[in-house]
Amino acid sequence: MGYELVKEPWSTEHHRPYLRRKRLEREDEAAFPLNTPMPRYLCFASPFPNKWGHPRSYRIQITSFAGEHLPTSSPMERSISWGRYQLAVTRRKEEEPTSTSIYNQNDPWTPTVAFADFINNETITNEDLVAWISVGFLHVPHAEDVPNTVTVGNGVGFFLRPYNYFDEDPSVDSPDSVYFSSEQDSGACGANPLACLPHATTCTPHLPPFRYGGFLNLSLARPPGGI
């Protein structure tokens, strides 16, 4: 987000917010260390537009960070150098399948895989890319962890969201819910449109016929003292 000074009829010194777009060309530009500003919207854009003329893209929205790790001055830091970054984007390479190795824990002073070496300022324009996202949280055990640790406030993750990827909300093409009563035949197309699917369709499950007898055979016991 940026701000620009514009002249409006009602104000000669009026600031207006606007979105500043920038295309990141190289790996060093697309590596965001911890405690540094992140773009409000970070999108992987396609050269192909949607029907509105916007490039089809996906947005990465991070909801949690791993936090501080070892200082770079530590001789063991290179073994977990992925922790330097909230997000880093590199060119996809067969020789860079993972950001770390299980063998790093055996010899963290000379790690088998050092993620920091992946970022060497190569171009990322019109290339197959990998987004390396660091998520996590710091948990110090406390009394309320007994007998189990609650998940509220301890979640980690990120969202990969379509951004101008579709021409409209794709949920409009989702079928509506189907409701039918016990008096209707669930196999009739008029009551259940899904029953009209071709029987040769291999992706639909073969479910047993649905039976519903209502509450005719259900008796309720009245507790002492009434209800």
Side-chain angles (χ1 to χ4, degrees):
M1 291 291 294
Y3 292 89
E4 60 181 351
L5 186 64
V6 296
K7 291 184 177 181
E8 301 288 359
W10 57 88
S11 175
T12 57
E13 296 181 357
H14 182 70
H15 285 85
R16 180 175 62 187
Y18 69 98
L19 280 175
R20 181 173 52 246
R21 301 187 182 213
K22 180 182 179 182
R23 182 174 179 173
L24 305 180
E25 304 283 351
R26 312 194 76 82
E27 289 179 341
D28 286 12
E29 295 180 86
F32 301 96
L34 289 176
N35 303 321
T36 59
M38 283 275 294
R40 181 73 62 89
Y41 279 73
L42 187 71
C43 298
F44 281 71
S46 163
F48 305 103
N50 62 9
K51 77 173 185 179
W52 309 106
H54 299 288
R56 298 181 183 273
S57 63
Y58 268 83
R59 175 192 177 193
I60 292 181
Q61 185 175 355
I62 304 175
T63 59
S64 60
F65 300 110
E68 299 290 347
H69 70 312
L70 290 175
T72 55
S73 58
S74 170
M76 297 187 295
E77 191 273 340
R78 273 180 55 81
S79 64
I80 56 171
S81 55
W82 50 265
R84 300 178 188 177
Y85 306 96
Q86 306 172 59
L87 168 70
V89 179
T90 64
R91 292 175 60 173
R92 182 188 179 278
K93 297 179 180 179
E94 292 292 340
E95 61 271 22
E96 296 176 353
T98 58
S99 61
T100 186
S101 168
I102 191 174
Y103 301 108
N104 282 16
Q105 63 183 344
N106 299 334
D107 188 6
W109 299 275
T110 55
T112 304
V113 176
F115 176 75
D117 295 340
F118 292 7
I119 304 172
N120 51 8
N121 207 31
E122 291 183 304
T123 179
I124 56 176
T125 303
N126 297 326
E127 300 286 347
D128 291 334
L129 304 178
V130 179
W132 308 89
I133 305 171
S134 297
V135 297
F137 66 93
L138 175 65
H139 178 74
V140 179
H142 49 86
E144 289 77 16
D145 289 333
V146 181
N148 61 280
T149 302
V150 298
T151 58
V152 177
N154 294 327
V156 300
F158 66 93
F159 293 103
L160 187 63
R161 306 176 60 180
Y163 196 80
N164 290 319
Y165 188 86
F166 301 100
D167 295 332
E168 59 184 1
D169 182 2
S171 67
V172 299
D173 295 323
S174 301
D176 293 331
S177 57
V178 177
Y179 172 81
F180 50 90
S181 65
S182 58
E183 292 81 14
Q184 294 175 298
D185 181 9
S186 61
C189 294
N192 181 12
L194 297 181
C196 301
L197 292 175
H199 295 290
T201 304
T202 58
C203 62
T204 57
H206 297 282
L207 302 177
F210 176 74
R211 298 283 191 274
Y212 172 69
F215 296 98
L216 298 178
N217 299 323
L218 180 63
S219 61
L220 297 176
R222 182 176 182 183
I227 297 178

